[in-house]
Amino acid sequence: MKRVLIALIPFLVLACESAPGKKEEPAAPATKEVVNPAENVPSERKEVKTEPVASYRVKTDDPLNDFFFGVELYETKKTFHYLMKLEFETIDGKDTLRLPNFGTMPEPVIKKGPEKFSAIIGFMDKDKQFREYKKVYVVGNKLKVTALKHYGVSTYQP
């Protein structure tokens, strides 16, 4: 019986081996396409509006003068950058607002802040929910701008 098994081993080996000259190549891994929604929005605007895209303005308590606290946002050539013009009585200021690129056109919004002379600057997300971003407010006779939240965008391959 031992001799029969030993005689069958070469036949088993040959039967399990693939056909001669025909070697199987390993299958190439399927390439997964990385989808980056941020590429849907151009990085520069074709037309820049001259009027403010968002504004907030309230009269101050000065009985002698016609003073205001105000914030206005203006478009710039870059799609996600806005010029902020700030005003409090005789103080004027400028700053740049950089919104994150979530793959949709930015929609900046300014709302009244918790203090009398404050405003919350943010944007509408894809679900039309307001996302607060920065706060403009007055301390003493100074205009201040503070970041309330930070946002980031990343892409990953599932």
Side-chain angles (χ1 to χ4, degrees):
M1 180 74 170
K2 235 181 190 182
R3 289 185 184 178
V4 173
L5 286 176
I6 293 175
L8 289 177
I9 289 177
F11 292 110
L12 289 173
V13 170
L14 289 174
C16 294
E17 194 176 302
S18 62
K22 193 177 190 184
K23 293 187 177 183
E24 293 180 26
E25 294 181 20
T31 57
K32 294 181 181 179
E33 184 178 330
V34 177
V35 178
N36 185 359
E39 293 174 354
N40 296 336
V41 182
S43 62
E44 291 194 354
R45 291 185 174 90
K46 291 180 181 176
E47 292 182 28
V48 179
K49 295 179 184 175
T50 56
E51 66 274 356
V53 293
S55 64
Y56 175 79
R57 191 172 163 141
V58 62
K59 190 167 175 37
T60 63
D61 298 330
D62 190 332
L64 300 175
N65 298 302
D66 196 24
F67 289 144
F68 291 90
F69 166 78
V71 180
E72 294 179 327
L73 296 178
Y74 292 88
E75 288 183 348
T76 64
K77 187 71 175 160
K78 294 183 179 180
T79 303
F80 295 95
H81 292 200
Y82 291 85
L83 173 65
M84 292 191 314
K85 290 189 178 180
L86 315 171
E87 166 190 10
F88 176 67
E89 295 182 346
T90 59
I91 304 168
D92 291 329
K94 291 182 181 180
D95 199 358
T96 302
L97 176 70
R98 293 175 188 90
L99 296 179
N101 183 350
F102 289 122
T104 59
M105 285 302 285
E107 188 179 336
V109 177
I110 303 175
K111 293 188 174 187
K112 181 183 180 342
E115 293 89 15
K116 186 172 185 174
F117 300 119
S118 67
I120 305 296
I121 301 171
F123 57 92
M124 301 302 275
D125 66 8
K126 68 177 183 174
D127 299 324
K128 297 297 180 194
Q129 296 291 329
F130 178 72
R131 301 291 177 188
E132 59 183 27
Y133 191 36
K134 292 195 176 197
K135 178 180 173 181
V136 178
Y137 58 102
V138 177
V139 175
N141 278 336
K142 294 182 181 179
L143 272 170
K144 300 269 187 177
V145 178
T146 302
L148 297 173
K149 293 187 179 178
H150 298 277
Y151 297 91
V153 179
S154 64
T155 57
Y156 65 95
Q157 194 171 6

